[in-house]
Structure formats: C-alpha cells, structure tokens
Amino acid sequence: MGRTFTNEARRAQIMRAAIDTIAELGYAKASFARITEKAGLSGPRMISYHFADKDELIHEILMHVFTAGAAFINERVEAADTATAKLRAYLEANLQFLREHPNDMAALTEIGPHLRTAAGRPYTSVSAQEVSVQSLEKLLGHGQASGEFRDFDIRSMAVLIRGAVDGAARRLRDEADFDFDAYVREAVTTFTRAVAP
C-alpha cells in the first residue's frame, strides 16, 4: 500500500495511542479495542487497515522509539569535540531521553518479555543492550586511541555505563521520589573520572 501523508499521520496516531495504552495497561491488556479507544478512532478496523496484526504494530513501535532515541543521542554525541565530551553527551542525552519519554520507556519494558528472535527465542536484557554496548565500545576505543582515556577493558566499561542508564530507567519508572537530576550528575562525574588517565 502506497503511503500518503494522511496514512503516515494515522499510523503515527495509532502508534502513539498503542504506546500510551501499553504503558498504562500492560502488553497483555493492550488490545486493538483499547488502542482504538485511546486513539479516538471509529473502530479497531482502522488499526487493521494500517497494521496487519499486533506483531507488526509492536515492531513499528520499537523501530520508532529506537530511531527517535538514536537520533536524539547521536546528534548530541557528534556535536561534542573530545572523547570526554562525547561520553558526557552520551550519558546526558540518554538520561534526558528517558525522562522526556516515560511512556515510551514503560511500553518498551512491557513489550520486552514478549519479543522473539527470528529463531523464536525470547530476547534477553543482554541482547537488547548489545547495539548500545557496541556503540559505547567504539566511543571508548576512540578515547583510548587518542590518549584521552586511560587503559581499561573497553567491553566491561561499556557494559557498566549501559547498566547505569538502564538502571535509571527502572528507578524513574518505579521510584516516585527518585532524584533524577542528582543521578545524572553523579553518573557523568563517575564515568568521566573512571575513564580519565
């Protein structure tokens, strides 16, 4: 089906409603009927017109959130001119994106346990992190190659940094009085000091 501006706008509306419904009710209860109600559509057939099934809708949601997050983070990292500044930008941008998109993050958390690989195996938190960890490995490797960072195990440091970001997402979701600004400051200070010569 050729996509028009109107079709794209409707798909975006449905995805937004699906994200908010999943965040509010959980994956299992996010039926087409509930999403229809949230989107203010005339009936579930409107969703079926744009998405073959729930699996396709979920796939599009994942692509949308990951693409938006990557664009937000990469723009800030690429604008930084030193390895330390890039690491700082990576942490601040990741954490800022989490704070500004709470429903997106809650929906991803709900969706995660239901995802399957092409071989039918469930995704794990490790496999979900891998793209981000590899991106961090490159950033850290450049810092070491330039002499700006000390010698350390790049893989271990990347996993630690990613764990700090993912930990913040859980705290932000589950801990009402979590001091997010303090967390951002401490994460940036901790990891920029940890990589310094």
Side-chain angles (χ1 to χ4, degrees), residues 15-16 19 59-69 104:
M15 284 193 290
R16 183 73 261 160
I19 288 169
H59 175 76
E60 289 295 319
I61 288 171
L62 292 173
M63 292 300 296
H64 167 74
V65 175
F66 284 129
T67 301
D104 295 42

Side-chain angles (χ1 to χ4, degrees), residues 89-125:
Y90 176 88
L91 285 162
E92 290 175 343
N94 263 277
L95 294 168
Q96 183 181 348
F97 190 82
L98 293 180
R99 176 158 51 185
E100 293 180 0
H101 300 84
N103 278 7
D104 295 42
M105 298 303 106
L108 290 187
T109 300
E110 283 291 324
I111 290 167
H114 303 277
L115 292 179
R116 294 292 181 272
T117 66
R121 297 189 186 93
Y123 276 96
T124 65
S125 58

Side-chain angles (χ1 to χ4, degrees), residues 57-193:
L57 175 57
I58 294 303
H59 175 76
E60 289 295 319
I61 288 171
L62 292 173
M63 292 300 296
H64 167 74
V65 175
F66 284 129
T67 301
F72 183 87
I73 294 159
N74 290 341
E75 179 183 356
R76 286 151 181 78
V77 171
E78 290 170 9
D81 57 0
T82 67
T84 301
K86 286 181 184 297
L87 178 57
R88 176 185 295 274
Y90 176 88
L91 285 162
E92 290 175 343
N94 263 277
L95 294 168
Q96 183 181 348
F97 190 82
L98 293 180
R99 176 158 51 185
E100 293 180 0
H101 300 84
N103 278 7
D104 295 42
M105 298 303 106
L108 290 187
T109 300
E110 283 291 324
I111 290 167
H114 303 277
L115 292 179
R116 294 292 181 272
T117 66
R121 297 189 186 93
Y123 276 96
T124 65
S125 58
V126 171
S127 59
Q129 283 184 346
E130 189 56 29
V131 171
S132 294
V133 168
Q134 290 178 7
S135 173
L136 269 168
E137 286 177 319
K138 290 179 183 177
L139 189 160
L140 297 171
H142 289 312
Q144 283 187 341
S146 69
E148 191 174 343
F149 292 166
R150 68 175 177 83
D151 184 33
F152 53 80
D153 183 77
I154 290 174
R155 176 75 177 177
S156 297
M157 187 67 75
V159 169
L160 284 166
I161 293 168
R162 191 63 234 172
V165 172
D166 292 341
R170 289 189 294 273
R171 292 284 179 177
L172 189 61
R173 184 184 70 242
D174 299 333
E175 193 174 318
D177 59 350
F178 181 54
D179 189 338
F180 200 74
D181 290 328
Y183 190 93
V184 173
R185 288 194 305 271
E186 294 302 333
V188 169
T189 299
T190 297
F191 287 111
T192 53
R193 287 183 177 177

